[in-house]
Amino acid sequence: MTISLPELPTLSQLAFLIIAATVVFSAMLVVTLRNIFHSLLFLVVTFLGVAGVFLLLAADFLAAVQVLIYIGAIIVLMMFALMLTHRVMSADVTQTSGQWVLAIPVSVGLLTFMFQVFVKHPWGMKAAYTKPTAAVIGTQLLTKYVLPFELASVILLVAMVGAIVLAKEEKDDPA
């Protein structure tokens, strides 16, 4: 009689489990903490974990974008907005809407639906793409998708000029 030991997870599987558990735990803290500043800090941890998952999937460009845009721009903007609004930081503000009786069945229904989709969908697992994706995306943007890329840059330039014109203060004439 031989006893077979269960197969040990690989290092990448173990890293994924640790990162996924960190993301789920910090995301739960984002929505359950009463102090909104602490929620923002755990949102940073969540975004870092998502970037880590992207790195494990060999999507280095998405990981870099995740860190630069979501942590570098969105979180910093939210922290400035939070610091400029003192009322939100006070303890007198209620952070619940009191509609948990309706929220629980809706949440359970959505969770059941998502679980059924997850279980029944035939996930086509392909071999992992191990080359860096930033070079591939850059090549595609400058060859195959050059026209949409240039149109997007012109639209962003027009939006930036429009925002500057709208934000410009008009000076009163001293005369």
Side-chain angles (χ1 to χ4, degrees):
M1 179 175 163
T2 60
I3 298 174
S4 62
L5 295 174
E7 187 174 324
L8 294 175
T10 63
L11 189 59
S12 64
Q13 290 172 335
L14 189 63
F16 175 78
L17 289 175
I18 291 171
I19 291 173
T22 303
V23 167
V24 170
F25 181 71
S26 60
M28 286 176 54
L29 288 176
V30 167
V31 296
T32 56
L33 285 178
R34 297 190 61 83
N35 188 331
I36 196 165
F37 183 75
H38 293 160
S39 294
L40 271 178
L41 293 178
F42 279 105
L43 190 59
V44 170
V45 175
T46 304
F47 286 158
L48 279 175
V50 171
V53 171
F54 285 146
L55 281 178
L56 286 175
L57 295 173
D60 55 340
F61 181 75
L62 285 179
V65 167
Q66 176 78 20
V67 171
L68 290 175
I69 293 178
Y70 284 98
I71 297 173
I74 303 286
I75 294 295
V76 170
L77 177 69
M78 292 172 87
M79 284 189 179
F80 276 120
L82 184 64
M83 286 188 283
L84 294 175
T85 54
H86 300 287
R87 185 177 174 273
V88 175
M89 294 295 287
S90 69
D92 298 336
V93 177
T94 59
Q95 296 180 354
T96 59
S97 64
Q99 299 181 357
W100 57 271
V101 175
L102 179 64
I104 288 176
V106 169
S107 299
V108 169
L110 282 174
L111 186 64
T112 304
F113 174 73
M114 288 189 298
F115 182 74
Q116 286 180 352
V117 168
F118 180 76
V119 170
K120 291 180 181 176
H121 184 72
W123 301 98
M125 300 301 287
K126 298 178 181 176
Y129 190 78
T130 57
K131 294 181 181 175
T133 58
V136 174
I137 291 173
T139 302
Q140 291 293 318
L141 282 178
L142 295 178
T143 56
K144 186 176 180 181
Y145 300 106
V146 70
L147 182 61
F149 181 68
E150 292 298 328
L151 286 175
S153 66
V154 169
I155 290 171
L156 288 173
L157 178 65
V158 169
M160 189 170 62
V161 170
I164 291 171
V165 169
L166 289 175
K168 181 180 176 187
E169 292 182 23
E170 294 185 21
K171 294 183 179 178
D172 294 332
D173 287 333

